[in-house]
Amino acid sequence: MERILERDSFMKAVLPALAVVALAFTMVVIAYGMESVAPGVHDAFHDFRHTIGMPCH
Amino acid sequence: MMSFLKECVLKGALAGVVWGWIAMVLNSFTGIFVFEGGFTHDLVTFSVAGAVFGVVVSGFLFVGGRFVPFKKTLPRAVFVSVFIWLVLRAGGVLLSSMEPSRYHVLTPETLQGLFLAVALGTLLGIFRKDGQQRCGC
């Protein structure tokens, strides 16, 4: 019973936080066009980056 | 977990995609930045990036919404959205100061970005308004 409760609280608290952190990292990669992390991301999201006011070349 | 999936991922992604389209239309009207990509390419990238931004803002609202000094969902969502945009923008200023020839700070684009951050928060607040009681954020 205790284990089930522990697993349940993990699913409720930690997993959403981890998912948000992972997606936040993706957002940073897109926002700054970090080619070293994802090759091609700079060119792919170039127009988007300028539109939302992020500095670019 | 299910409420997280429903409230954050689905509604956040939906609001984000709509926001991405609004960003495209707004920039086309203002002409602040002349698009370099084609319409189809931009439609896809703005949708994908909008969905990512929407889910992230929604996720932060879900995880840390209770710490935001507003009670209603709409002002909370706007606060979180603008806060995240300001953090990203501050990082951009830092990059610009380190590599001024590579990263240019442009005021019209910045103002448009700030307006769009408010728009994303507003959209998210509208999309999530009905679910605030269930998810507790």
Side-chain angles (χ1 to χ4, degrees), chain A residues 27 32 54, chain B residues 53 56-57 60-61 64 68-70 75-91 113-114 117-118 120-121:
Chain A
M27 181 182 75
Y32 298 136
M54 291 297 140
Chain B
F53 272 65
V56 170
V57 174
F60 272 99
L61 197 60
V68 176
F70 295 106
R76 269 186 182 183
V78 172
F79 181 91
V80 172
S81 176
V82 170
F83 179 78
I84 289 172
W85 182 84
L86 283 173
V87 170
L88 284 173
R89 194 66 189 74
L114 181 62
V118 174
L120 176 61

Side-chain angles (χ1 to χ4, degrees), chain A residues 11-12 15-17 19-20 23-24 26-28 30-33 42-48 50-57, chain B residues 1 4 19 23 33 35-37 41-42 45-46 49 53 55-56 59 84-85 88-89 91-92 95 102-104 109 112-113 116:
Chain A
M11 293 280 278
K12 273 185 181 169
L15 274 187
V20 170
L23 273 165
T26 310
M27 181 182 75
V28 171
I30 291 172
Y32 298 136
H42 180 269
D43 288 341
F45 293 97
H46 186 253
D47 289 353
F48 176 77
H50 275 280
T51 302
I52 63 163
M54 291 297 140
C56 195
H57 58 78
Chain B
M1 191 64 189
F4 169 73
W19 173 72
F33 176 71
F35 287 141
E36 291 172 7
H41 174 266
D42 279 346
T45 54
F46 274 71
F53 272 65
V55 176
V56 170
I84 289 172
W85 182 84
L88 284 173
R89 194 66 189 74
L95 284 173
R102 167 93 171 75
Y103 294 99
H104 303 288
E109 287 180 8
Q112 180 173 267
L116 283 170

Side-chain angles (χ1 to χ4, degrees), chain B residues 16 29 73 104 106 121-122 128:
Chain B
F29 273 114
T73 310
H104 303 288
L106 298 168
T122 308
R128 291 184 54 162

